[in-house]
Amino acid sequence: METSLKIIKIKLQNIQKIFSWNNAIVGNTALYEISNLKVLRTVIGNLESLNLFENITKGLSNSAIFTTSSDKIRVQSSENTAIISQLKLLETLIENFLDVLKSTVPEENNDSINIKLPMINDFDELSKVSREIHLGLTQVIFNDDVNGQTRIISVENGSIWLNVLVGTTAVTVIASLTWSAAVIYKKIQEGILLAEQVRGLKVKNDSIEDILKAQKAETNVMIQAEAEYLNSEHFKDNVPENIEKIKNSISIFAELIGRGAEIHPALVAPENVSNLFPDPTKFLGLESKIKRLANPSSN
């Protein structure tokens, strides 16, 4: 479960308040002393629990700071330089990230409240719960004595993931649908790239239009083929109306993918199910399942 940005902001502010250390050369020796290690270990541990700045916290966790329970340690010059450099970088990253959070995560007003929605099973229930909250508040505070309001100040920034129960069979159908949509998304991206390249050649506008129309027609043919394939794989009857619905769903999901949407299997899904879904990081090399059937020797 992702940590709320509000919580991260508060914890980073608390970390920033205590994050400090002392560093000095020891007399006429070649040794350096680093102190306030107990605080440093606490800070690093807190950052690790938030999964922030992992490369740096991992390096510091493997440094001399964690080789003792004491509050200070003496190290050679080279090791001292490495540790202090990492601490200063961590300090800068915390400051910069906090600046971003302060500009994107609104401060809460004393006159505001936080509402955590109850468990939601479907979209109808979400609508019902929202209506109940609205009614429960407004019928009490919307009067001359209270002069209340219900204005939404902020919704949590960051990715919003929905886990939707769809059923055993539906998972495989959705996996196929997502794969086909990703194939079409890739085709659309190729068309956009082709259009840019053609315009760069400074050819006649009517020629460009002909190329774009041909590209669009080819994409539509692919959508039709993908829909017919899905229909043959998952449905018993070859009903034209069903194929049209599949075509529409492929187009919708291809557009959503283009806008940044992702569809994944459940984290606990077995590998044979997970492999049915396309990897969003490898769309450029994605091939249609139809092509795989035509070339069974390909990986």
Side-chain angles (χ1 to χ4, degrees):
M1 185 66 68
E2 294 182 1
T3 305
S4 165
L5 288 179
K6 288 183 179 178
I7 294 176
I8 292 177
K9 178 181 174 182
I10 292 172
K11 289 189 175 182
L12 277 183
Q13 286 174 326
N14 292 333
I15 287 172
Q16 191 179 48
K17 290 177 183 177
I18 65 171
F19 189 22
S20 65
W21 64 90
N22 295 312
N23 182 228
I25 191 169
V26 180
N28 294 322
T29 69
L31 298 176
Y32 284 79
E33 184 176 272
I34 306 173
S35 58
N36 207 26
L37 300 188
K38 292 181 180 179
V39 168
L40 293 180
R41 287 192 287 268
T42 298
V43 166
I44 294 167
N46 289 340
L47 291 173
E48 287 179 334
S49 68
L50 293 172
N51 296 318
L52 293 175
F53 319 121
E54 294 178 346
N55 290 337
I56 300 175
T57 56
K58 183 178 180 180
L60 288 170
S61 294
N62 293 326
S63 72
I65 293 175
F66 284 81
T67 60
T68 177
S69 60
S70 175
D71 197 42
K72 59 179 67 175
I73 195 171
R74 293 181 177 181
V75 294
Q76 296 290 336
S77 175
S78 58
E79 188 172 8
N80 178 76
T81 299
I83 292 174
I84 298 304
S85 175
Q86 293 265 0
L87 289 174
K88 288 181 178 179
L89 177 57
L90 191 59
E91 185 178 49
T92 300
L93 289 173
I94 291 173
E95 181 180 356
N96 291 343
F97 190 30
L98 263 177
D99 287 341
V100 173
L101 291 178
K102 288 175 182 177
S103 64
T104 57
V105 180
E107 294 288 341
E108 293 185 349
N109 192 295
N110 288 335
D111 297 330
S112 68
I113 62 173
N114 290 313
I115 299 175
K116 180 181 179 182
L117 296 184
M119 184 177 295
I120 302 297
N121 295 313
D122 55 39
F123 294 106
D124 285 337
E125 190 172 334
L126 174 60
S127 177
K128 180 182 177 182
V129 168
S130 298
R131 177 62 186 168
E132 288 173 346
I133 293 173
H134 173 75
L135 182 60
L137 290 173
T138 57
Q139 66 183 354
V140 174
I141 66 174
F142 275 20
N143 59 62
D144 293 338
D145 290 335
V146 180
N147 195 27
Q149 60 178 315
T150 54
R151 183 162 59 95
I152 298 174
I153 301 300
S154 68
V155 178
E156 179 64 44
N157 293 314
S159 300
I160 298 175
W161 288 84
L162 299 177
N163 179 251
V164 182
L165 183 65
V166 295
T168 304
T169 303
V171 168
T172 58
V173 177
I174 292 171
S176 296
L177 178 62
T178 304
W179 194 288
S180 292
V183 168
I184 298 304
Y185 162 73
K186 176 187 174 184
K187 183 65 177 178
I188 293 172
Q189 293 304 111
E190 290 173 352
I192 293 173
L193 180 60
L194 176 61
E196 292 177 351
Q197 291 174 336
V198 171
R199 289 191 178 96
L201 297 175
K202 298 181 179 180
V203 299
K204 294 180 180 179
N205 288 335
D206 54 350
S207 298
I208 295 176
E209 289 301 319
D210 289 340
I211 293 173
L212 295 180
K213 286 179 181 178
Q215 181 74 14
K216 184 176 181 180
E218 185 178 352
T219 301
N220 289 335
V221 169
M222 286 184 62
I223 294 175
Q224 179 73 30
E226 292 290 335
E228 291 177 355
Y229 169 73
L230 261 68
N231 187 70
S232 65
E233 286 290 303
H234 299 289
F235 301 96
K236 294 180 180 179
D237 300 322
N238 186 22
V239 181
E241 182 181 356
N242 194 47
I243 294 177
E244 288 301 313
K245 291 179 180 178
I246 296 172
K247 285 169 58 179
N248 189 41
S249 292
I250 291 174
S251 298
I252 289 172
F253 280 108
E255 181 184 356
L256 288 171
I257 290 172
R259 286 155 48 191
E262 295 182 8
I263 302 175
H264 295 264
L267 294 175
V268 295
E271 186 176 357
N272 65 318
V273 173
S274 297
N275 290 340
L276 296 175
F277 288 78
D279 184 345
T281 65
K282 299 179 180 179
F283 279 169
L284 291 180
L286 192 70
E287 290 187 354
S288 170
K289 293 288 183 71
I290 304 173
K291 183 176 290 187
R292 287 190 171 191
L293 289 179
N295 300 281
S297 61
S298 62
N299 293 328

